[in-house]
Amino acid sequence: MSHYNDYMYASREATSDKGMANNRQVAQFHYFNPNGLESRRIKNNDRISELVKEGVVKSGWSFAYGWCASSYYTDSLRDLAMKKRVSGRKLRVILELLKDQVETQEQKIAEATA
């Protein structure tokens, strides 16, 4: 399979990161794919922005849980997705931190809208 086909599969067609051939594909999946962690994070950030505009939550949420809180993890994941060789340890750490943050966002949104 060529690099282009690997990228297209990881970024467009895959529904989970299970069965990916290498760490680079896993990083590309979570950064570019609509089913990846980055897509979930963006949706949560948009929802937090809506809640702030509606006055449901205070503007500090944007800093604590929204756009400002996750830029480091996102930047790190993007850097890994662009590399030719991806360290498994770095990938696991970034994915775990990003997953924790996304789950915290989803929990806080659920609490605010309940």
Side-chain angles (χ1 to χ4, degrees):
M1 194 179 272
S2 72
H3 290 293
Y4 179 76
N5 289 339
D6 289 345
Y7 168 77
M8 290 305 290
Y9 175 73
S11 66
R12 303 274 189 264
E13 299 168 13
T15 56
S16 79
D17 63 355
K18 304 295 182 219
M20 295 284 172
N22 54 47
N23 290 334
R24 182 179 183 202
Q25 281 187 339
V26 174
Q28 289 173 343
F29 170 80
H30 284 292
Y31 190 76
F32 295 113
N33 194 296
N35 299 315
L37 286 173
E38 178 63 11
S39 179
R40 284 175 58 192
R41 186 193 67 82
I42 290 171
K43 289 175 188 171
N44 290 340
N45 289 343
D46 291 342
R47 183 64 182 134
I48 289 171
S49 294
E50 290 173 11
L51 292 173
V52 169
K53 287 179 185 174
E54 294 169 0
V56 176
V57 297
K58 297 187 181 212
S59 61
W61 271 50
S62 294
F63 293 104
Y65 307 111
W67 294 106
C68 299
S70 60
S71 63
Y72 175 76
Y73 305 143
T74 298
D75 292 345
S76 297
L77 183 60
R78 182 194 62 231
D79 292 344
L80 291 176
M82 298 298 171
K83 287 186 174 185
K84 291 205 180 260
R85 294 185 58 117
V86 176
S87 163
R89 179 181 297 160
K90 288 180 183 177
L91 180 63
R92 284 190 302 273
V93 168
I94 291 300
L95 289 181
E96 186 64 33
L97 292 171
L98 190 57
K99 183 180 177 185
D100 286 345
Q101 196 212 0
V102 167
E103 289 172 352
T104 300
Q105 284 179 323
E106 291 169 349
Q107 177 187 7
K108 293 294 183 180
I109 290 170
E111 289 173 5
T113 56

